[in-house]
Amino acid sequence: MSNVVASGKVVLFRYTLTNDQGETLDSSDGGDPMPYLHGAGNIVPGLERQMTGKAVGARFQADVPPAEGYGVRDPDGAKVFERNLFPPGAHLAAGMQFMVQDQDGQHMPMWIISVGEDQVHVDFNHPLAGQALHFAVEIVSMRDATAEEIHHGHPHGPDGHGGHSHSH
Ligand code: ZN
């Protein structure tokens, strides 16, 4: 009974993500199943928790509250920046994600809400913050992660020999 989802497994799954209104937000439909390394925080915590112990072929619904998804909305997350704080010539558009550094040198993501002539409205909340997430999941396959994958904290291709090389 070792072939169930647990830490150190690379799991391939298909999913459709809907919100409380039943609108599809994201889906693996039509593409390859998505690989992730279980126990490494590659997917939102509430989904990872509900994956635990599932076997290949399992189909289930995972309902994830905001706190276990992309977080609750921080009302102070919305900011207005001067346009000239962005690189000159950078193409800026609503929905784009930027990484910025805070005073402590921590990298954090922000999303552009709207772009004005002199000012850019941004939000440090993930676009799905504050939303309950409903995943329809099918577990397609799984395998043991390699030592390198566990060291990196992410899978290197679905079958583990995708010729992936990088340094981090
Ligand atoms: Zn890697």
Side-chain angles (χ1 to χ4, degrees), residues 11-15 26 28 31-36 42-43 47 140:
V11 180
L12 280 82
F13 71 108
R14 294 184 202 282
Y15 69 97
D26 194 12
S28 63
D32 292 330
M34 184 174 118
Y36 80 100
N42 294 169
I43 57 176
L47 178 59
V140 176

Side-chain angles (χ1 to χ4, degrees), residues 148-149 152-156 164-168:
E148 185 184 51
E149 288 173 321
H152 283 195
H154 55 227
H156 290 165
H164 159 107
S165 69
H166 58 194
S167 53
H168 57 185

